[in-house]
Amino acid sequence: RRQKPSAPEHKRDLAAHGGALSMSHNDTRSFFNFSQLVLAAGHLKSPPVLKHSKITYFEVEILDVQSKKQICIVDKVPPSSTLLEVKHKFHKACPQWYPSRVGLQLERNGPYLKDSINIQSLAVSSIITLYFTDLGQQVGWTTFFLTEYTGPLLIYLLFYIRLSTIYDQVESTKNFRHPVVHLACFCHCLHYIRHLLETLFVHKFSGGHTPLKNMIKGCAFYWGFTSWIAYYINHPRYTPPSFGHRQVSFAALAFLMCEAGNHFINVALAHQNHSGSKACFPSPTYNPFTWLFLLVSCPNYTYEVGSWISFTVMTQTLPVGIFAFLMVIQMSLWAQKKHKLYLKRFYPEVRRKAAMIPIIF
């Protein structure tokens, strides 16, 4: 027979059963909360293993190009460093040689390495050997051209005012100045003022340097010839050109056209890389002075030579003729050198063009 439990025992059973239910309910709730926490945290991962980064440094051994003796070792050079950064570190070790004075070569008889070269491209092993040459005292390109062009401008004006230390004062006041003397002074000053303004505002220099001796040679050439030219043109006994006003007018007009063409060509060359992401050779525009690009690759030298030939015809003096002849030779050499570089970079556009003067050069 089934026996009914007594009241106290029944309460005890209910209490035990309720406690069991509450305990199972709490366990379920705790498990649910734990599952939500795991899902929110994402996948369980083991802590990452730290890898030691290995950076390869180079050692640059710098030897004297003459004696092959070691000057210093530049250590801990990162692979991304350029040769200019190596020169700066070399300057810290040897303060008497600043970076622009240092010439580094991979071989003793090889060319000087450019500052922009990546040091990793020179490495065969962890030790790189370079040969050092002292390039001498250096000057910036802007200083070079400003000094070279300021001298002729001032020297010519000193002869134009006819200083008593240069010419006889009595003869200077007695003789009448022909109009071509004033016109020649204007054209000469215009030529060098244009050069100075283009050096400051048009030409773009890469921040390089040139030896001081080159600036001394350039100044001696330009300043010396300017003194010789100005002495004869501004002399009290100077005689006007043979064909008079007509010769002077046509020559002056040709001079001004060449000066304008030279300026517009220099502006076009300064902006030749702004047409797109890839460099391209300048093409003629609506400006008629740029149409010379159709015939020659260096029209700025063509216009420069044309200016001095026109100045020779206008003044009809032997010193100007000799200077113009030397300028033709120098400009043709520079034009040939640039033409070869243009053939490598812009072969399709340049291959049928002359360097400076069609047919002749």
Side-chain angles (χ1 to χ4, degrees), residues 294-314:
L294 296 172
L295 301 175
V296 296
S297 60
C298 302
N300 52 328
Y301 295 146
T302 308
Y303 282 122
E304 183 76 12
V305 168
S307 295
W308 286 111
I309 294 176
S310 303
F311 195 76
T312 303
V313 176
M314 180 176 63

Side-chain angles (χ1 to χ4, degrees), residues 159 162-169 172 230-232 234-236:
F159 284 91
R162 290 182 176 177
L163 295 175
S164 58
T165 56
I166 302 175
Y167 302 110
D168 182 67
Q169 197 66 24
S172 299
Y231 176 80
Y232 277 92
N234 297 287
H235 200 280

Side-chain angles (χ1 to χ4, degrees), residues 25-36:
H25 180 69
N26 290 337
D27 292 342
T28 305
R29 189 173 182 181
S30 300
F31 179 75
F32 177 75
N33 292 336
F34 178 73
S35 302
Q36 292 294 328

